[in-house]
Every structure is written in C-alpha cells, then in structure tokens.
Amino acid sequence: MTTPINDSTTPHTVEGLLRVVEERDAEVVLLKLMVDKLKLQLLRSLRARFGSSSEQLDDPQIALLEGEPLYEHALPIAVAAVAAANAPAIDRKLPAHLPRETQVYQKRVPITMTPMGNPAAAPPVVVAFA
C-alpha cells in the first residue's frame, strides 16, 4: 500500500496532481487484484468443503434467463445415421487365414450317490455339475 500524500505539502501543480492520480490508479489496481485473489480463495475453500457444483443450465433454461423466446433457437442439426452393429449387411465372418478348431462340449449328467453305510436309510444325494 502506498502512503497517502499530504495535500498541504504538495504543490498544486500539474505534475503533482498527475502523480497523485497515478498513485491512486495504482492503488485501485492493487485493491482489485486483492479482491480477485480473495474471491478465488473463497471459491476454492467452498469447493473443498462442499464439493463441485452439479447445477448446469441447458438451452431452454438459458433462454428463460436471457428473455429470448424458445422458438428462436436454432434447430438441432440432424446427425447422419450410423449403421447398426448387428445389421445383416455387415460381413462378420472371420478371415480365411485364421486357424479354426472344432470343439464339442457335452452336457454333464448329474451323479446320484448314496451315503456309505446303510443305503436304504438315507435319501440319495444328487451332485450337479455346471
């Protein structure tokens, strides 16, 4: 901060008045920078404390705030249709140079087992395989 100039000792010349104006302009710039710095510090501390804001405006909400009619907004541009991934026109065959192996999987049949000892006393236990 600059020290204030004592107006009683400063001569009222053009150079003296220009120097006073320059000092005050420099002080205004310094104060504006300090305000911006303090605002940033406050925003950072709020974001650290509460997290980032999830509120976002979309086009109709912005139009309401700005006062523009909704019908004056440009219509969305039509996007070219992309072929579906499962379209029959797309060739999904593997290249001929890749090796092929045929593998046959057989369904496993559950095995019925009886407990050891007296098979008539206990019901059979069924073990299923996936």
Side-chain angles (χ1 to χ4, degrees):
M1 294 278 235
T2 59
T3 59
I5 297 174
N6 188 354
D7 291 331
S8 63
T9 61
T10 305
H12 293 287
T13 61
V14 174
E15 292 83 21
L17 294 175
L18 287 175
R19 187 169 47 89
V20 169
V21 170
E22 286 177 2
E23 288 177 3
R24 289 187 180 163
D25 287 344
E27 188 173 355
V28 167
V29 169
L30 178 68
L31 292 174
K32 285 183 180 180
L33 287 173
M34 287 178 62
V35 167
D36 289 341
K37 178 183 175 184
L38 292 173
K39 282 182 182 179
L40 284 174
Q41 286 178 351
L42 179 63
L43 288 175
R44 284 182 183 158
S45 66
L46 288 175
R47 182 162 293 146
R49 185 173 178 190
F50 299 112
S52 61
S53 174
S54 64
E55 295 180 6
Q56 297 179 359
L57 297 176
D58 54 357
D59 288 336
Q61 291 173 332
I62 292 174
L64 291 175
L65 292 176
E66 293 176 353
E68 299 175 6
L70 295 176
Y71 58 85
E72 288 185 6
H73 285 286
L75 296 175
I77 299 172
V79 180
V82 179
N86 60 353
I90 298 175
D91 183 22
R92 300 237 182 284
K93 296 178 184 171
L94 294 175
H97 69 278
L98 293 177
R100 285 159 172 73
E101 294 179 9
T102 304
Q103 296 182 354
V104 179
Y105 294 97
Q106 295 178 354
K107 183 177 179 182
R108 293 188 180 177
V109 181
I111 301 172
T112 305
M113 299 178 358
T114 57
M116 293 174 52
N118 187 356
V125 177
V126 178
V127 178
F129 294 98

